Amino acid sequence: MRGILQRVKVRPSDLICPFFIDENVKAAVPIESMPGYFHLPINGVVNEARSIIEQGVKAVLLFGLPKAKDEKGSQAYAPTGIVQKAVSALKKEFGDELVVMTDLCLCEYTSHGHCGIVEKGEVKNDATLEVYGKVAVSQAQAGTDVVAPSGMMDGQVEAIRTALDDAGFDQVGIMAYSAKFASCFYGPFRDAAECAPQFGDRKNYQMGFANTEEALREIELDVNEGADIIMIKPALAYLDIINEARSRFNMPIAAYNVSGEYSMVKAAALNGWIDEKAAINEILTGIKRAGADLIITYFAKDVGAWLYQQ
Ligand code: PBG
């Protein structure tokens, strides 16, 4: 009876699976702060994608860990960069069977670990926009379907849309990290992506978590600048924002169930304190019920096999 009356059902195709592709490893290396998650070598990417496609998941979000970092994050837009290579490999193998999305940020590529260009100890918004345009075009040249700018610079969606269109990539979509809060729940990711800022924090470009209106204004700006999908991140402490966005914007909405949200469940499950599958099911259903169409989640890798097959 519950089954036939259940209105919200999370399907594997609602999920987007993040991959960390690491130029420094030859085999999959476990990420300590994210039990069950791995740094993948470039030659492991196709197999990993095949296993999630077999479970019904249809999209990946790629993060790269380059061999060399520098002040300007130049490996983020190198034609032979790690993400560019992974995109080409995946599109060659799977074509339209897999939606390839690429995180667009500098923090994994800069020696200082900030999301933008730093001058005199400060992140420079407009200088960063130019570089984001270059990164978008190089990811598009590699064949990405969707770029996902996560750096929270003002005007980034417009700058990227213009750069893509000017280079003839008007078909490449933008999933904008529109409402991205300065959150402690990114802790394990910073370990995973080796991108903790070497000085200061991200509070001058990520949002304070107590203000709904500000989040909605950020979303509205991105919609007006040309975003195709808007994103709210993290998910669990922000279900009200997802819900509010759902009622105000007639747009596809993604929610990012971030690393800390994943690791908390894993840690409790490993201690035998929580029923892992039941917790994942309840969490993902809650995020979708709040109004998300798509959920970026590290659970995507495992749940396809059992999630709502009934
Ligand atoms: C980089 C970026 C972060 C995440 C995605 N892209 C970290 C940050 O902003 O500090 C977090 C993802 C997660 O915690 O799962 N801009």
Side-chain angles (χ1 to χ4, degrees):
M1 185 66 99
R2 273 197 188 189
I4 63 169
L5 291 176
Q6 181 170 342
R7 295 189 62 188
V8 176
K9 292 189 180 177
V10 180
R11 301 164 300 174
S13 60
D14 297 329
L15 307 179
I16 300 172
C17 185
F19 282 2
F20 297 110
I21 306 144
D22 190 340
E23 215 168 12
N24 304 290
V25 303
K26 295 231 152 23
V29 175
I31 299 167
E32 215 177 308
S33 55
M34 299 176 68
Y37 233 75
F38 297 86
H39 283 172
L40 298 172
I42 180 77
N43 60 15
V45 168
V46 164
N47 275 347
E48 188 71 11
R50 185 170 295 115
S51 87
I52 65 152
I53 292 171
E54 280 166 5
Q55 297 183 45
V57 175
K58 296 182 189 306
V60 289
L61 177 61
L62 307 182
F63 293 91
L65 287 88
K67 229 185 213 141
K69 302 184 188 229
D70 58 29
E71 281 279 302
K72 294 196 148 43
S74 57
Q75 281 302 305
Y77 51 87
T80 54
I82 183 72
V83 159
Q84 287 77 359
K85 281 188 195 158
V87 171
S88 324
L90 290 170
K91 288 315 284 187
K92 183 162 168 244
E93 184 72 20
F94 300 111
D96 289 343
E97 245 185 290
L98 182 73
V99 180
V100 174
M101 302 179 160
T102 40
D103 185 78
L104 195 168
C105 194
L106 295 185
C107 66
E108 296 112 74
Y109 303 90
T110 49
S111 42
H112 44 71
H114 277 287
C115 300
I117 298 298
V118 169
E119 278 165 29
K120 300 199 184 106
E122 263 185 20
V123 176
K124 292 290 174 207
N125 192 92
D126 294 2
T128 303
L129 295 183
E130 251 172 71
V131 185
Y132 282 1
K134 281 205 255 184
V135 180
V137 170
S138 89
Q139 293 179 344
Q141 278 162 343
T144 197
D145 296 303
V146 176
V147 297
S150 66
M152 286 299 278
M153 297 299 137
D154 289 339
Q156 62 183 12
V157 172
E158 186 177 11
I160 289 167
R161 184 71 273 159
T162 307
L164 286 171
D165 290 353
D166 287 352
F169 294 110
D170 51 322
Q171 297 298 315
V172 171
I174 301 179
M175 174 166 74
Y177 288 66
S178 304
K180 178 170 176 180
F181 295 90
S183 168
C184 74
F185 291 106
Y186 308 147
F189 173 96
R190 292 186 185 168
D191 185 14
E194 294 164 8
C195 71
Q198 300 301 303
F199 63 90
D201 54 34
R202 302 209 209 286
K203 287 186 178 149
N204 72 333
Y205 43 99
Q206 298 182 354
M207 273 186 306
F209 51 72
N211 300 340
T212 307
E213 283 308 319
E214 188 185 358
L216 295 169
R217 199 161 63 239
E218 288 281 359
I219 296 172
E220 192 175 2
L221 285 169
D222 283 357
V223 171
N224 293 339
E225 287 179 29
D228 300 289
I229 303 171
I230 51 179
M231 192 208 295
I232 288 134
K233 173 185 175 182
L236 291 181
Y238 303 90
L239 294 175
D240 58 322
I241 310 280
I242 297 172
N243 195 245
E244 194 65 38
R246 172 83 287 151
S247 60
R248 290 213 206 174
F249 302 101
N250 186 15
M251 293 276 294
I253 296 177
Y256 200 140
N257 177 215
V258 299
S259 56
E261 298 171 332
Y262 168 87
S263 297
M264 286 194 297
V265 173
K266 284 285 178 183
L270 285 170
N271 276 295
W273 296 337
I274 206 167
D275 175 340
E276 183 176 351
K277 278 191 181 177
I280 295 171
N281 196 352
E282 199 170 321
I283 285 173
L284 297 180
T285 305
I287 296 171
K288 186 161 175 185
R289 193 190 61 235
D293 302 293
L294 296 166
I295 306 170
I296 302 152
T297 178
Y298 304 96
F299 296 122
K301 203 159 77 71
D302 306 319
V303 299
W306 52 267
L307 193 73
Y308 293 115
Q309 300 293 323
Q310 69 273 36

